[in-house]
Structure formats: C-alpha cells, structure tokens
Amino acid sequence: MPQGQPSVVPDDGLTTRQRRNRPLVMVHTGDGKGKSTAAFGLALRAWNQGWSVAVFQFVKSAKWRIGEQSALEQLAAVHRETGVGGPVEWHAMGAGWSWSRKAGTSEDHAAAAAEGWAEIKRRITAEQHDLYVLDELTYPIGWGWIDVEDVVDTLRTRPGRQHVVITGRRAHHRLVESADLVTEMTKVKHPMDVGQKGQRGIEW
Amino acid sequence: MPQGQPSVVPDDGLTTRQRRNRPLVMVHTGDGKGKSTAAFGLALRAWNQGWSVAVFQFVKSAKWRIGEQSALEQLAAVHRETGVGGPVEWHAMGAGWSWSRKAGTSEDHAAAAAEGWAEIKRRITAEQHDLYVLDELTYPIGWGWIDVEDVVDTLRTRPGRQHVVITGRRAHHRLVESADLVTEMTKVKHPMDVGQKGQRGIEW
C-alpha cells in the first residue's frame, strides 16, 4: 500500500521527492509461485505510466508463449495505435533473442545468455528503457554464464531513471546486497504436492 | 515453471487431465510485496485464455486508480472490440461497489464489505466468472466483517470450473487450510527501510 511511511528519514541531502523518485533494483526470489507473475504485474503499472518496458526472458521455453506476453503485446499495440500507455518489448532467449540472428541458431545456452546480458548492458548504458524485467536472470548468474560482479556494477552505475526487476530462485547474495527491494516468495502449499500438474491460464 | 512434475500421484480415480483441470483456490499472503501484483499478473494469463475475469478490491483507496486497473480495462476493451482475450470487470469497494448505488454512499465499511462478499457468493453460485481476484479479502475476514466459514464453505462447494485468488496479509488459518495453493511473500529488504517512500509506476 503506497500510503506506507518510511521507518527512517535518512540524512542524505535529498528531498523526499528526489528520494521517492530514485530508480529501484528489485529482486523476486524464493521457491514459491508469483516471482515472474508479480514482475509482469509491475510491467502493467509501468505501461500505465507511459514508460518504456523491456522484458528479457532467460530460461522459459519458446514452445509456448505465456499469457503475459500476449497480453503485454496487446497493450503495446494499444500504445502504438492510440498513444495510451507505453511501448513494450518482449525478448525471449528460448526463441532466439530477437535482435540477433546468430543467437537464434546457437545451441550454446551459455553464449546466448551472455549475449542477452551484453545487450541489456548496452541498453542500460544508453538509457533505452524505464523498466527492465530480467526474468529468471538468477539462473545464468548461478551457473556462472553471466558474471554477477558485472551485473552488480552495471546496475549500481546505471544512468538516469531506470528501474530493474530480476526474478528467479536462489538469487546470488551479491545481487540481494545490491538490490533496493527484495521479496522472497515462499511456497506454503502447492497443488503439485497432492499430484496436480500445472494448468493453462494459471501456470502460463 | 509448468514443466514441473507432481511429487505424488494420487489415488483419486481422476485422470491426469481431469486432475490438471481442477479449479484452484489460491492465496497470496505475507508481509512482502507482490501479493496483489502477482494476482493481477494471473489475470493477464486468464485474459489471454479468453476467461471471464472479475476483480473485487476490498480495501485500496478509490482516490487513485492503480495501473493494473487501467491496463486490464484496456485489455477488456481489446476483447470487446476484437474478440481477442476475455472480458474483465473491476469492482472497488473504495469507489462504491459498481453494481450497487447504496454501497457507494455508505460510510459503513463493515456493511460494504459484507455486501461485496454477498455479491461474489451470488456470482460464484451462478458460475458467472472463470477467475475471481479477491484483492485484500483477508482484512475484512480478519476484522470479522465477513465470516471465514461462509467463505470456506462457498469456495469448497462452488460449481464448475471457477478459479479464485485471494490476497492480503495474515490470511486466516481456515483459508490457508482450504486453499489449493498458498504463497507467502516475505519482505527481505524494502526501500522504506532506508527512508524511501513508494513511487508511481512501482507501488501503484
């Protein structure tokens, strides 16, 4: 709830407004559901503010499009046709990063992940977007395909007003340390525990 | 990730397909961010399946529209104009429940909450929607304005294929027991801890 009051008023020389508008690095981690779903929900808020949103999916299969992709692409079309909301780009590693013909043909997942991160870094340096959804980025970091210090450093020194949300289990402790907001989604109970598989409309 | 395998294959006489398609009661609770955001993300998936989605917000102020409402109403318009996706209704108690002139003028929050629940119960009995987002329903239950046993019983005996997601802190233990899927969002770190207030596009 946005009416919340901060528990500390810092002595950092900033006005409340300046402090309020500082861009955030957010991490959704933990073994429970809702990490990516909440990140795509944030994309709805950003779209509504007219922000430029870019989603980069690092792991999900390209065999199915998740519902959020279709819905956000419809909102991107609403923006193009009526000017309402903001632009949305969706890039999926599993489908071959859309900006690169090479990546689409490669079977080398480590190279594809590194290439995805290099593109994100270029865009952050160029201040290309207002919100970056780096979906499941924790995995290629955990596997050593992307250098966590490079990620932390790029985020720490990023120019302008760019928000970043990173999702995935087992977020690296360096990522957690450097983030402004970290939420852990914990599984209390899941239908798979009682033998029910994931279903359309709920899991994707 | 939908490719997950259930850890138990139950002896319930159902096929995997029947079991897979059982409608779910989901609860997003805990003190962390993302409970409502993930529920609205689920609404995106449901919209993409062409499902009828109804959101009932029990607590949020009507003074500001959250970004998700604007975005989902745009998707509802896409559905009306092109047939893509499904219909979406958004009802906010703070704005006066839209189906009731009386509720809009009442200052009695307990009565308004009870009226909201009575309408949801009517719709569930009539199988009116495919996904119900009951945002922040845990609070009026916690305050005794809505009887938890009535909620549990209504959900347990609901007909057809209706999914329900309930959000809010301190979910009643009876609700947790009766739900199929419960996720706890835990705050690890939040900008308010270091004196930063909520901001547009991120918190609403």
Side-chain angles (χ1 to χ4, degrees), chain B residues 65-86:
Chain B
R65 290 159 59 85
I66 63 171
E68 293 95 321
Q69 179 175 357
S70 302
L72 283 166
E73 286 176 351
Q74 286 290 338
L75 290 173
V78 167
H79 173 69
R80 282 193 303 273
E81 288 158 22
T82 69
V84 171

Side-chain angles (χ1 to χ4, degrees), chain A residues 25 58 110 113-125 134 137 140-142 144-159 164 166 172 174-175 178:
Chain A
V25 173
F58 274 84
E115 197 194 332
W117 168 246
E119 175 70 14
I120 292 161
K121 198 172 160 178
R122 275 191 293 273
R123 293 181 181 214
I124 287 176
T125 305
L134 308 185
L137 180 67
I141 290 175
W145 297 350
I146 296 172
D147 177 21
V148 70
E149 294 305 330
D150 188 28
V151 173
V152 166
D153 202 55
T154 301
L155 296 179
R156 191 177 50 76
T157 60
R158 74 194 186 285
V164 180
I166 295 170
H172 195 288
R174 291 284 294 135
L175 210 53
S178 72

Side-chain angles (χ1 to χ4, degrees), chain A residues 45 68 176-177 189 202, chain B residues 45 68 177 184 189 202:
Chain A
R45 293 187 185 162
E68 292 95 322
V176 169
E177 285 161 24
K189 193 191 254 187
I202 299 295
Chain B
R45 293 187 186 161
E68 293 95 321
E177 285 162 23
E184 180 156 333
K189 193 191 252 188
I202 298 295

Side-chain angles (χ1 to χ4, degrees), chain A residues 2 8 19 22 37-38 45 48-49 68 70 176-177 179 182 184 186 188-189 195-196 199-200 202 204, chain B residues 2 8 19 22 37-38 45 48-49 68 70 176-177 179 182 184 186 188-189 195-196 199-200 202 204:
Chain A
V8 180
R19 203 178 298 117
R22 271 191 307 208
T37 318
R45 293 187 185 162
N48 184 56
Q49 295 294 332
E68 292 95 322
S70 301
V176 169
E177 285 161 24
V182 180
E184 179 155 335
T186 310
V188 177
K189 193 191 254 187
Q196 185 167 0
Q199 62 184 298
R200 202 167 52 178
I202 299 295
W204 64 90
Chain B
V8 180
R19 203 177 300 117
R22 271 192 306 208
T37 318
R45 293 187 186 161
N48 184 57
Q49 294 295 332
E68 293 95 321
S70 302
V176 169
E177 285 162 23
V182 180
E184 180 156 333
T186 310
V188 177
K189 193 191 252 188
Q196 184 166 0
Q199 63 183 299
R200 199 166 54 176
I202 298 295
W204 64 89

